[in-house]
Amino acid sequence: MAGKELSWKYVEESVIEPDEIVAARAHSLEQGVEPISPATGAHLALATAAIDAQSIIEIGTGLGVSGLWMLRGAPHAHLTSIDVEADHQAGARRFFTDAGHPASRVRLITGRAMDVLPRMNEASYDVVLVDADPKGLLESLEHALRLVRVGGIVVITHALWRDTVPDPAKRDGVTREFRSVIGELVASDAVHVALSPVGDGLLQLVKRSA
């Protein structure tokens, strides 16, 4: 296991983040908001680049780290980002602007995701990122699968939840919900599934059918 931990550390430290993401990450940590890890960001950029994403929606803006990474992979995409914290979104807006992303392509919606998502158009997004309160994981996932187009990608962060999901002795509610969701998805014919230990765990789905 020690060797694995060394490999995970190497993977994270191998990522070179651009200045605007470094700044957004530093501000996130100052505000007590946990950003995605650098290697997780690199995976997001790869995903958006691989399918030439034109329309992206994320649940959980934070200070913009995840959005910046996704737009790094698909710089001409339109990003819709939902978060309940207006102050965080104001900071994220500054980082998006500094990175050269015009306001016309970055739509920040302040509000509870579960209030906003039902109003979003079905099957109209290439990539959906779920990086929000894990207590609402199942509902967020249901919306994500509704919003993403066939052939599109859904990405869920924190999928190993502080390394508790692989530990059978851990049985708190969030851990059990992640286990349940992962188990159901890998058994489903409606999606292709890949689970990676990068960051705090990254669950990636490709929607196969409506």
Side-chain angles (χ1 to χ4, degrees):
M1 184 58 67
K4 286 293 185 185
E5 290 173 356
L6 188 62
S7 294
W8 293 333
K9 184 173 185 290
Y10 179 81
V11 167
E12 292 291 347
E13 293 179 350
S14 71
V15 178
I16 299 175
E17 292 191 303
D19 291 344
E20 64 271 13
I21 297 182
V22 171
R25 179 178 302 284
H27 193 51
S28 295
L29 296 173
E30 289 171 4
Q31 296 296 314
V33 178
E34 182 183 1
I36 59 168
S37 76
T40 301
H43 276 256
L44 293 181
L46 184 67
T48 58
I51 64 171
D52 189 24
Q54 300 299 307
S55 185
I56 302 168
I57 187 168
E58 67 172 343
I59 306 170
T61 308
L63 274 295
V65 174
S66 54
L68 287 166
W69 266 115
M70 289 190 290
L71 290 175
R72 185 165 175 79
H76 301 297
H78 285 79
L79 171 68
T80 298
S81 187
I82 305 165
D83 202 295
V84 73
E85 297 289 347
D87 289 346
H88 293 167
Q89 287 191 325
R93 172 68 73 188
R94 185 173 70 252
F95 292 119
F96 286 125
T97 300
D98 290 348
H101 301 296
S104 60
R105 289 208 298 266
V106 179
R107 180 188 183 196
L108 302 181
I109 301 176
T110 305
R112 291 182 63 255
M114 295 309 111
D115 295 332
V116 175
L117 291 172
R119 305 198 299 267
M120 301 289 104
N121 292 330
E122 183 174 344
S124 57
Y125 295 92
D126 300 308
V127 175
V128 182
L129 173 66
V130 179
D131 185 21
D133 186 348
K135 292 178 182 177
L137 174 63
L138 186 57
E139 193 172 2
S140 294
L141 175 60
E142 289 172 351
H143 280 295
L145 290 171
R146 180 182 67 82
L147 295 176
V148 74
R149 64 169 174 81
V150 173
I153 299 173
V154 174
V155 185
I156 302 171
T157 62
H158 300 292
L160 296 178
W161 194 241
R162 321 300 189 209
D163 291 324
T164 62
V165 172
D167 184 349
K170 304 296 183 181
R171 300 180 183 228
D172 63 277
V174 171
T175 298
R176 285 188 287 108
E177 185 157 12
F178 269 113
R179 283 195 195 118
S180 176
V181 164
I182 292 167
E184 289 182 16
L185 288 171
V186 298
S188 172
D189 292 329
V191 290
H192 294 291
V193 183
L195 177 61
S196 168
V198 68
D200 191 28
L202 194 66
L203 183 62
Q204 300 175 82
L205 321 171
V206 173
K207 185 174 180 179
R208 300 179 61 187
S209 59

